[in-house]
Amino acid sequence: MAPSLNILVVENDIAILSKVTSLLEKRGHNVIPVESREEAFASIQKKSDIIDLALISLELPKLGAWPLIKTLRKPKYEILVFVMSADCGEESIEAMDAGAYDCIRKTFTTKRFWTKIDRAIERISLTRELKKLKHKRKSIHDPGTENMRAIFDSIADGILVTDLDNNLMFCNSKAADMFDISRDEILGKPVQQLVKYKRLQKLLVSSHEAGSSAVHMGHQQVCLMEADEKRLRVHINPVINRDGTHVGTVALTHDVMAITGMDSLKDDFIFMVSHQLKAPLSAMLMQLSVVLDGLAGDLTEKQKSLLSKAKDKTKGMIALVSDLLDFQRLEEDRVLLQITPLNLTEILERTIDLMDIMAEDKHITIKTNVVDNLPYIIGDKNGIEAVFVNLFSNAIKYTPDGGQVTIDMYKSADDVRIKVVDTGIGIPRTEIKRIFEKFYRIKSESTTHIAGSGLGLSIVKRVVDLHNGSIYVDSEKDKGTTFIVTLPMAQ
Amino acid sequence: MKKILMVDDDIDFAGAVKILLESKDYEVVLAHDGKEGLEKARSVNPDLVILDVMMPEMNGYDVCVVLKADPKLCRIPVILLTAVDQVMFKTSYTKQMGLMTEADDYIAKPVESAELVKRVEDLIRSST
């Protein structure tokens, strides 16, 4: 069915006006009948946005039709105009030049009238459709402010932006929900006033103070935040404008509650499996050792070589299971840390004793330079031991035969630093930022034969974090790697 | 010939240890849970007991406590054997439990055959 249109009819001949009106109304159109140019203008002023079509008599007094036609055809209105005239002669052609669509004779037959009007209606529908399509295209291809806002509000994560004075400059609807911010009053207010989560405040504020070097590196901070039964992962990044000026900070807050649940299920599973694996692996190792020692009969060289490979693999699996269990405990049990004053020199010496055999096997020299009377640190002995064991054994593992591992331990302003330098295969630049990830291992020709779980460094990172320390890594492929761990001194 | 009582519910592990220690000229008696271990300790009167910690019926710590409280048995050296602890935790935890139960030594599973033999020999030598 044809759409119902709003049609303005301007005709000073009452007979014709009523005839046209009743014809149009019979088909369900809404007619605005007026008798003069003045009334017509008044209607246009009031209802310009709803008028779809206008029928205007060319015989209005004082050439009244012309200004009407011109007005209705302005880009502002773009209303389709029919002129009605007695003969559709010269004058109507001029009207069409001025923008009228067609001319209807006042002596029309009903059939002729509808032929013309129907064509116009079809044209109007098409124009509307075209407009809609154009609008759609425009709205996606031209993300103006309004659209940008809509896009940001449609994102499932919260976004908060502050300027350098720590005033909140933007917050999308998800962030407003998450942090209970009323969006009408945000602009330019201090973030401390609006975001009641102390941790997030601190992150937003401190990121400005991180210094320009961090900013230039596109420095990103990621952390987990728990508050009000919410568990959020927050990414903090500096906002850098086109000329490279640091203008503010953006925080992306992602709700990880659901994922966390799945994560803990997965952790339980890993724990269960590793636990169940440990006992049979221990038995296998003992059985293989006994057979290899010749206690179950003499072995041929071939059998020996096969079995010793099996034994190595078994040891590898045991190491993996141990790492998994260690990591698990660190993840689930923060309180497990027993905090006491620690003599790092003592721990270092003991750890190196453990490593000696491994280093000797590969003819690697371990050099240590430890400053005398190093201050104590406060920490967990087992954790720090794990840090040392993992860093030193990695250095040995990833250094080819005959290389060197140098361990320095010294005091800095208010922390103790442990620097481990090897002459190993190095870490490709692109991989450096991923090495602390759980289970991440660099896959390359030079690493395939080195056993490892990909957990060692994540354990190191986690322990160092729990001690409020930090870890730095620098590496050059085929030259070697340097790890520096800083641990705050006992106050 | 010195007698060693090996108490472990893991038959495969215990069996391998038996072969290993027999090759070093020890007589090895096996028990498969804590209760049986305690009974055999009384009937066999071994020169050394190797006690697994995680066992059904009675765990290794409990067996050790009972052994050390018995005037007739308290002189028998005990090695606690455990897979409970991991690299970073094993030292202090097992040590603590060992101290509390008065065990003479502790070894974390998995253990290499040479290491096990060495610990056994050391302990038997020092107790005679």
Side-chain angles (χ1 to χ4, degrees):
Chain A
M1 212 184 89
S4 159
L5 302 178
N6 295 307
I7 302 171
L8 176 71
V9 183
V10 192
E11 173 61 81
N12 56 345
D13 182 333
I14 310 269
I16 294 173
L17 180 63
S18 60
K19 185 180 170 193
V20 169
T21 304
S22 75
L23 266 176
L24 290 169
E25 279 178 344
K26 260 185 214 159
R27 289 230 178 152
H29 296 295
N30 177 28
V31 181
I32 307 157
V34 296
E35 289 174 45
S36 68
R37 183 173 71 174
E38 290 69 28
E39 280 176 88
F41 271 120
S43 296
I44 292 167
Q45 295 284 314
K46 267 194 284 185
K47 301 177 179 170
S48 70
D49 50 332
I50 62 156
I51 293 171
D52 302 300
L53 177 65
L55 273 60
I56 299 168
S57 168
L58 274 181
E59 277 99 34
L60 290 178
K62 300 181 205 160
L63 297 175
W66 298 105
L68 264 178
I69 295 170
K70 274 189 189 139
T71 304
L72 288 169
R73 292 307 298 162
K74 276 184 184 166
K76 189 173 152 198
Y77 302 116
E78 277 195 325
I79 293 167
L80 203 68
V81 175
F82 271 96
V83 288
M84 297 187 287
S85 95
D87 55 358
C88 283
E90 198 60 33
E91 216 178 342
S92 68
I93 294 182
E94 275 173 40
M96 282 186 265
D97 282 343
Y101 175 64
D102 203 348
C103 178
I104 297 175
R105 269 175 215 268
K106 290 190 181 177
T107 53
F108 58 77
T109 60
T110 312
K111 196 179 162 214
R112 262 209 95 94
F113 177 78
W114 283 121
T115 314
K116 294 209 167 187
I117 295 291
D118 282 343
R119 223 171 53 211
I121 291 173
E122 201 182 313
R123 196 190 149 98
I124 289 166
S125 314
L126 285 173
T127 314
R128 277 188 188 165
E129 204 60 32
L130 191 70
K131 252 190 194 160
K132 254 193 235 163
L133 284 173
K134 268 188 183 163
H135 182 77
K136 241 192 205 164
R137 272 185 71 138
K138 200 181 163 194
S139 58
I140 290 172
H141 289 276
D142 171 31
T145 318
E146 205 39 50
N147 281 323
M148 284 306 261
R149 204 176 171 89
I151 291 169
F152 279 119
D153 281 344
S154 309
I155 292 174
D157 289 343
I159 295 168
L160 294 163
V161 181
T162 58
D163 65 8
L164 288 180
D165 299 321
N166 302 318
N167 298 317
L168 196 59
M169 297 316 284
F170 175 80
C171 115
N172 71 347
S173 61
K174 186 72 189 176
D177 276 1
M178 275 180 176
F179 302 109
D180 212 6
I181 298 169
S182 154
R183 282 216 281 173
D184 304 329
E185 45 178 343
I186 65 147
L187 210 68
K189 282 202 180 163
V191 65
Q192 290 93 330
Q193 231 178 72
L194 295 161
V195 182
K196 55 184 178 192
Y197 296 90
K198 285 273 177 321
R199 181 102 190 272
L200 185 61
Q201 277 181 19
K202 232 172 128 185
L203 276 169
L204 282 165
V205 173
S206 70
S207 72
H208 301 327
E209 291 146 13
S212 58
S213 66
V215 167
H216 282 303
M217 285 165 62
H219 185 74
Q220 172 172 276
Q221 285 181 298
V222 185
C223 74
L224 264 180
M225 224 179 70
E226 277 170 80
D228 290 359
E229 294 173 9
K230 278 194 203 87
R231 194 174 248 251
L232 302 175
R233 192 179 59 215
V234 182
H235 290 248
I236 304 274
N237 280 73
V239 180
I240 312 286
N241 73 7
R242 258 187 215 176
D243 3 305
T245 317
H246 180 198
V247 292
T249 301
V250 56
L252 181 84
T253 58
H254 179 67
D255 189 344
V256 291
M257 204 60 189
I259 301 171
T260 319
M262 266 151 56
D263 224 35
S264 84
L265 204 67
K266 181 208 72 195
D267 288 350
D268 290 349
F269 177 73
I270 291 178
F271 187 76
M272 193 268 288
V273 169
S274 3
H275 215 75
Q276 295 295 321
L277 281 174
K278 198 148 188 197
L281 284 171
S282 301
M284 271 169 71
L285 183 68
M286 186 52 75
Q287 289 163 332
L288 286 167
S289 301
V290 166
V291 174
L292 265 171
D293 289 350
L295 304 180
D298 290 338
L299 293 177
T300 65
E301 280 310 308
K302 230 178 197 169
Q303 287 166 337
K304 254 190 197 160
S305 125
L306 281 170
L307 283 174
S308 64
K309 275 178 197 150
K311 187 178 160 187
D312 287 345
K313 293 277 182 235
T314 309
K315 277 183 171 174
M317 274 198 278
I318 289 169
L320 168 65
V321 165
S322 294
D323 278 356
L324 279 171
L325 290 169
D326 277 356
F327 193 80
Q328 198 61 30
R329 285 176 183 221
L330 270 179
E331 289 249 293
E332 71 189 19
D333 237 339
R334 281 163 215 209
V335 286
L336 198 120
L337 294 183
Q338 286 180 0
I339 306 301
T340 51
L342 299 177
N343 181 343
L344 288 179
T345 314
E346 236 178 70
I347 298 177
L348 181 82
E349 278 165 6
R350 225 189 5 252
T351 316
I352 288 175
D353 280 348
L354 283 174
M355 298 290 142
D356 264 349
I357 306 172
M358 197 176 159
E360 264 169 37
D361 270 0
K362 296 184 73 180
H363 308 288
I364 288 170
T365 13
I366 301 183
K367 265 174 63 181
T368 55
N369 311 304
V370 178
V371 171
D372 287 339
N373 298 323
L374 214 54
Y376 277 45
I377 70 145
I378 297 281
D380 177 73
K381 188 159 149 260
N382 298 317
I384 297 297
E385 262 174 25
V387 170
F388 284 11
V389 167
N390 277 301
L391 285 180
F392 302 166
S393 65
N394 271 356
I396 296 168
K397 262 202 302 209
Y398 294 103
T399 297
D401 284 16
Q404 183 172 306
V405 174
T406 313
I407 300 163
D408 291 293
M409 201 150 70
Y410 53 96
K411 207 185 103 178
S412 170
D414 43 8
D415 49 37
V416 176
R417 301 196 171 180
I418 301 97
K419 186 164 124 189
V420 184
V421 185
D422 65 40
T423 57
I425 56 173
I427 305 163
R429 197 139 286 282
T430 46
E431 310 266 9
I432 280 192
K433 59 182 167 201
R434 298 201 59 192
I435 58 172
F436 294 110
E437 284 174 28
K438 238 199 273 193
F439 303 116
Y440 189 74
R441 295 203 68 217
I442 296 164
K443 291 205 173 63
S444 78
E445 246 171 69
S446 44
T447 61
T448 45
H449 62 282
I450 301 173
S453 61
L455 278 172
L457 283 177
S458 38
I459 291 174
V460 168
K461 176 89 168 68
R462 180 123 179 96
V463 173
V464 170
D465 283 350
L466 286 172
H467 283 78
N468 294 319
S470 46
I471 183 161
Y472 303 96
V473 53
D474 188 28
S475 189
E476 198 174 334
K477 207 168 170 327
D478 300 323
K479 289 274 168 61
T481 304
T482 300
F483 279 96
I484 300 175
V485 170
T486 74
L487 295 167
M489 242 147 30
Q491 292 297 314
Chain B
M1 199 190 273
K2 300 280 185 192
K3 264 186 280 186
I4 295 172
L5 173 61
M6 170 83 194
V7 191
D8 194 332
D9 62 321
D10 186 337
I11 300 167
D12 295 332
F13 184 79
V17 170
K18 184 174 155 77
I19 297 173
L20 173 72
L21 293 176
E22 280 174 351
S23 79
K24 304 292 172 189
D25 288 329
Y26 294 105
E27 185 187 335
V28 181
V29 179
L30 296 183
H32 299 117
D33 61 54
K35 250 184 171 170
E36 192 191 348
L38 210 53
E39 282 159 18
K40 290 215 166 140
R42 289 189 175 117
S43 61
V44 173
N45 196 25
D47 298 286
L48 177 91
V49 179
I50 301 175
L51 256 182
D52 186 44
V53 169
M54 299 280 272
M55 280 187 300
E57 294 297 324
M58 208 175 162
N59 73 37
Y61 294 133
D62 294 342
V63 174
C64 187
V65 170
V66 174
L67 282 178
K68 291 297 178 185
D70 188 327
K72 281 188 214 148
L73 302 171
C74 65
R75 285 173 191 281
I76 305 173
V78 173
I79 296 178
L80 278 180
L81 203 58
T82 174
V84 174
D85 313 294
Q86 284 69 53
V87 180
M88 72 189 332
F89 304 102
K90 72 182 169 209
T91 355
S92 69
Y93 181 64
T94 317
K95 211 182 232 163
Q96 269 171 23
M97 285 312 287
L99 283 176
M100 278 164 59
T101 53
E102 296 177 66
D104 300 81
D105 200 356
Y106 55 89
I107 297 175
K109 271 190 198 172
V111 57
E112 288 264 11
S113 54
E115 176 77 13
L116 183 71
V117 170
K118 186 177 170 297
R119 301 280 194 104
V120 168
E121 281 173 347
D122 285 354
L123 210 53
I124 286 192
R125 201 179 306 123
S126 67
S127 69
T128 45

